[in-house]
Amino acid sequence: MSALEDLGAHIASSMTSAVEGHSVRLGELTVNARAEQIVAVLTFLRDDPRCKFSTLIDICGVDHPERDKRFDVVYHLLSMPLNQRIRLKVAADEEAPVPSVSGLFPCADWFEREAFDMYGIVFANHPD
């Protein structure tokens, strides 16, 4: 099992109620989580000693108009101590807000605002 597969399995087994799945493709780990659990998942990824993803690189939106939950909110994180990157995805619709993570990562404020301005993705408890 590769290091990324092992990390994905660790995250999935540690966050069973929040993580819906994970995959490694083209040397990149993607974790799919429930939108309502995004704060818990990102807190775990930041604080767990096997993860240490303390740098939020960006947040972006992807629009899939054919789906009921038409948006993916994608978080890219970096663990400088472990030299690893991860992509975290949550699905969102046009109505239910995704919890803001600006309390965990202050730079999320700008990224969430951009996702709102460009796609209309609403973030609950966003400061702006």
Side-chain angles (χ1 to χ4, degrees):
M1 180 181 289
S2 76
L4 290 177
E5 288 280 351
D6 186 45
L7 181 60
H10 169 68
I11 294 165
S13 67
S14 298
M15 303 288 302
T16 56
S17 66
V19 171
E20 297 176 328
H22 70 281
S23 63
V24 176
R25 184 166 175 222
L26 301 173
E28 297 179 354
L29 173 60
T30 301
V31 174
N32 296 304
R34 291 179 177 80
E36 64 274 6
Q37 294 292 318
I38 190 62
V39 174
V41 174
L42 285 174
T43 301
F44 174 82
L45 292 175
R46 183 192 65 189
D47 298 344
D48 182 77
R50 287 186 59 188
C51 298
K52 297 183 182 179
F53 290 102
S54 58
T55 304
L56 176 66
I57 297 171
D58 73 358
I59 301 171
C60 58
V62 180
D63 190 5
H64 301 276
E66 71 282 357
R67 296 188 335 198
D68 288 336
K69 288 190 174 185
R70 71 181 283 178
F71 301 113
D72 282 337
V73 181
V74 184
Y75 302 79
H76 293 102
L77 300 152
L78 170 66
S79 172
M80 294 205 34
L82 302 176
N83 192 27
Q84 292 182 321
R85 294 176 185 265
I86 190 172
R87 175 184 301 114
L88 177 66
K89 288 183 178 182
V90 300
D93 60 26
E94 297 176 63
E95 313 240 337
V98 175
S100 174
V101 298
S102 61
L104 290 174
F105 297 101
C107 67
D109 180 348
W110 190 89
F111 296 127
E112 291 173 350
R113 178 58 194 247
E114 183 180 52
F116 172 77
D117 289 344
M118 306 240 351
Y119 293 97
I121 300 170
V122 178
F123 293 88
N125 300 316
H126 187 271
D128 186 18

